[in-house]
Amino acid sequence: MDMTAQSKEWILHSVIFSLKHEKGSEEERRFLEDGQRILTSIPTVTNFQVYKQVSAKNEYNHGFAMEFASQADYDAYNEHPLHVQFVNERWKNEVEKFLEIDYAK
């Protein structure tokens, strides 16, 4: 997104995490792919990215990042049934640890 076009309410939502699954496993691949597929289907989510965390400075393995045009869009995402379902059925069961960071300009 062009920085000059971003609203003052713009939010970058990021979460770094480690899964309970073995690195390189089918379960790990499925979680990352399902997360991307499910969360990008929520209308207010833009520029969704899946990352492999490579720094030796922390113990996390993966990252999801996405952008929202406004606080209202971010709130709509948090309350969206698909997000709530993903968190309750997958995230809480498959994520070992995580750190969530939200940025605004």
Side-chain angles (χ1 to χ4, degrees):
M1 175 181 259
D2 179 0
M3 293 300 206
T4 59
Q6 288 178 353
S7 82
K8 291 181 182 178
E9 293 185 68
W10 174 87
I11 294 172
L12 171 62
H13 171 65
S14 62
V15 60
I16 57 172
F17 58 95
S18 293
L19 295 170
K20 295 177 182 177
H21 308 303
E22 185 176 326
K23 290 181 184 178
S25 68
E26 176 65 20
E27 293 85 1
E28 176 189 64
R29 183 194 63 77
R30 190 174 321 119
F31 179 89
L32 298 172
E33 288 180 0
D34 289 350
Q36 182 170 18
R37 178 181 49 79
I38 292 165
L39 299 176
T40 58
S41 71
I42 299 171
T44 61
V45 171
T46 61
N47 197 23
F48 187 95
Q49 302 290 321
V50 177
Y51 296 105
K52 179 180 179 184
Q53 197 292 119
V54 296
S55 172
K57 295 180 181 181
N58 69 67
E59 299 177 356
Y60 300 100
N61 297 318
H62 303 285
F64 285 165
M66 62 201 83
E67 297 179 16
F68 298 94
S70 67
Q71 183 66 50
D73 283 357
Y74 180 66
D75 293 343
Y77 159 79
N78 270 325
E79 298 166 5
H80 194 282
L82 289 174
H83 176 254
V84 172
Q85 182 179 12
F86 181 76
V87 168
N88 288 331
E89 294 179 5
R90 302 294 300 276
W91 190 269
K92 289 181 179 179
N93 294 317
E94 299 179 57
V95 172
E96 183 174 63
K97 58 187 170 187
F98 71 96
L99 175 63
E100 186 173 316
I101 304 172
D102 295 326
Y103 298 100
K105 288 206 126 228

